[in-house]
Amino acid sequence: MTKLSEQLADLSVQAKSAEDALTAAEKEAHDKVVARKEQARVAASAAVEKVNQKINSASDTVAQHWSAAKAKVAADLNDLKANVAQAKHDLGAKRAENYADELEWEAGVAIDYAIASIQQARYAVLDAVAGRVEAEQKRA
């Protein structure tokens, strides 16, 4: 099992990578941005699949608690596929501008969701540590 501190470090690295991708994408030509977007889609799909595999490999008791998370993972994967299909449509200039605004809004919501997830992860980490301390105190 991966240590919580390692998972948090990985989360930090992933957040920095997303920030760097935005900075680079704002300076690149459209073709490079589209290529970078495809790389991000592949990475996101792989990450979602990894989470899904972890959830599926959990014990029955833990899996029951994570059924809502599994549904969220499936919904996120479906949303990702739907966004790719939408991006393939031919958009006019005004529609493209509106679509870009919508995508920026969705990215902002995703960032807010990630921040909320980090806060939930922080709480879960502290809850786990408190639980471990309590277990060790009761053992003594």
Side-chain angles (χ1 to χ4, degrees), residues 102-125:
E102 182 181 327
L103 290 174
E104 287 172 350
W105 180 84
E106 287 177 5
V109 169
I111 290 167
D112 289 343
Y113 180 76
I115 290 169
S117 294
I118 289 169
Q119 294 301 322
Q120 288 176 336
R122 179 183 301 169
Y123 174 78
V125 165

Side-chain angles (χ1 to χ4, degrees), residues 130-140:
R132 178 59 58 202
V133 168
E134 185 177 320
E136 289 177 9
Q137 286 175 345
K138 289 185 179 191
R139 193 174 356 157

Side-chain angles (χ1 to χ4, degrees), residues 45-59:
S45 293
V48 167
E49 187 57 36
K50 181 179 176 183
V51 169
N52 203 18
Q53 288 174 356
K54 280 187 175 184
I55 290 170
N56 287 334
S57 69
S59 69

Side-chain angles (χ1 to χ4, degrees), residues 61-89:
T61 303
V62 174
Q64 290 171 358
H65 289 99
W66 284 97
S67 63
K70 286 172 64 174
K72 174 69 175 129
V73 168
D76 286 349
L77 189 56
N78 287 337
D79 286 346
L80 189 59
K81 289 176 184 177
N83 285 340
V84 169
Q86 177 65 35
K88 291 181 181 180
H89 289 348

